Amino acid sequence: MRDLARRMDERMEAAPYATEHELMRVRAAVAVHTGALSVPVDRVSGDDDGGEGRRARDRERAKARQLLLQIREDCGGKLELREDREMLAELGSDEEEDDDEDEDEGGEGSGEGQGLVMYSSLPMR
């Protein structure tokens, strides 16, 4: 998945692909999948702090959010597809990410399985 993401990023740097919304949607989905796969199973069950896997998931989620926000901006402030709106809502905002990190520091398994929830709710075409 990381290799696919890297190759997509390389292709999407130049026109005409840089502004193609369908490719941006696919790249956002790849980012969410990659992030979900980055979190070790032990993290999902609460036996581990997540470490590098959680940071990788957060980076991928930020990439997906950035792409969807770009699509929304290009479309005059509104996402046309219901799936895009749902994915963006599940990804949350930067402020919500900060809140999640604060909760995780307190323990009690907050945010557990978040990556897996995203993985199972991706729109498939």
Side-chain angles (χ1 to χ4, degrees):
M1 290 295 288
R2 288 184 187 121
D3 185 47
L4 174 64
R6 180 188 54 76
R7 289 185 292 153
M8 287 186 78
D9 287 341
E10 288 172 3
R11 302 302 184 280
M12 292 174 65
E13 287 178 359
Y17 306 113
T19 58
E20 178 60 44
H21 290 174
E22 195 59 34
L23 286 176
M24 294 168 79
R25 284 182 186 97
V26 171
R27 180 59 182 94
V30 167
V32 172
H33 279 287
T34 302
L37 294 172
S38 297
V39 179
V41 174
D42 289 346
R43 169 61 180 131
V44 175
S45 64
D47 296 336
D48 184 30
D49 68 359
E52 183 59 36
R54 185 168 197 296
R55 286 187 292 276
R57 183 197 67 197
D58 292 345
R59 282 190 304 269
E60 293 296 329
R61 290 171 57 89
K63 175 71 174 181
R65 185 173 35 257
Q66 171 197 6
L67 290 164
L68 291 169
L69 290 173
Q70 181 62 49
I71 293 170
R72 185 175 72 182
E73 182 180 317
D74 292 349
C75 293
K78 182 171 176 20
L79 289 171
E80 296 172 359
L81 298 178
R82 176 183 51 84
E83 293 86 357
D84 291 348
R85 291 189 299 271
E86 290 173 357
M87 188 185 306
L88 186 58
E90 287 184 30
L91 288 169
S93 67
D94 291 328
E95 293 80 24
E96 290 174 10
E97 283 291 316
D98 293 341
D99 291 344
D100 289 346
E101 289 174 12
D102 293 342
E103 292 172 8
D104 284 347
E105 291 173 4
E108 294 293 324
S110 59
E112 289 180 16
Q114 185 175 8
L116 293 179
V117 171
M118 285 302 304
Y119 183 80
S120 63
S121 65
L122 284 174
M124 295 296 175
R125 296 182 180 186

